Amino acid sequence: MNSSSLILHGLSSLSVYIESIIIRVLKLSFIVFLLLILISILVVFVKYFSGYAIPGWATNVFGFILNLLITVVLFNLLIILTHLNNRNKPISKPLDFYRSYIKQNP
């Protein structure tokens, strides 16, 4: 088994637990989202209520944090919609496709 097939085998073994993986990713993303909100509140606090602010830094930091927030939200939306779309597909019965896997003797 070469490295490509080994990686593919490992990734396909994760597909059995895809729902629990998605839930864990959503929990981690929610924690990251809250952390980014707290950092943005800290940036606003440092800019307006302390003397440590450097001119122009708050705009750059806040723009970067806003970019990360949008990325996290869109990533979660993509994961959820992709999973819900895959759940909507009907499961085919083995009776429908077993002939393609069995060689018929003449």
Side-chain angles (χ1 to χ4, degrees):
M1 187 177 271
N2 60 10
S3 63
S4 298
S5 61
L6 186 62
I7 291 171
L8 184 63
H9 179 68
L11 290 175
S12 62
S13 69
L14 291 176
S15 67
V16 176
Y17 303 106
I18 192 69
E19 289 181 356
S20 61
I21 291 171
I22 288 174
I23 294 298
R24 289 181 183 178
V25 167
L26 288 176
K27 286 179 183 178
L28 179 67
S29 297
F30 183 72
I31 292 170
V32 168
F33 184 81
L34 289 179
L35 183 66
L36 290 173
I37 293 292
L38 289 175
I39 291 173
S40 64
I41 290 171
L42 180 69
V43 166
V44 170
F45 178 77
V46 168
K47 179 177 169 85
Y48 291 114
F49 300 114
S50 73
Y52 298 116
I54 300 170
W57 74 276
T59 306
N60 291 333
V61 171
F62 196 72
F64 181 70
I65 291 173
L66 184 65
N67 190 6
L68 287 176
L69 284 171
I70 291 171
T71 303
V72 166
V73 168
L74 289 178
F75 179 70
N76 287 332
L77 184 65
L78 179 72
I79 287 175
I80 291 169
L81 291 178
T82 303
H83 181 65
L84 290 176
N85 186 33
N86 288 338
R87 287 183 70 186
N88 198 16
K89 294 179 182 175
I91 299 172
S92 55
K93 300 173 186 170
L95 186 61
D96 297 336
F97 61 87
Y98 80 93
R99 287 187 182 95
S100 62
Y101 291 108
I102 298 175
K103 182 178 178 182
Q104 299 291 329
N105 291 329

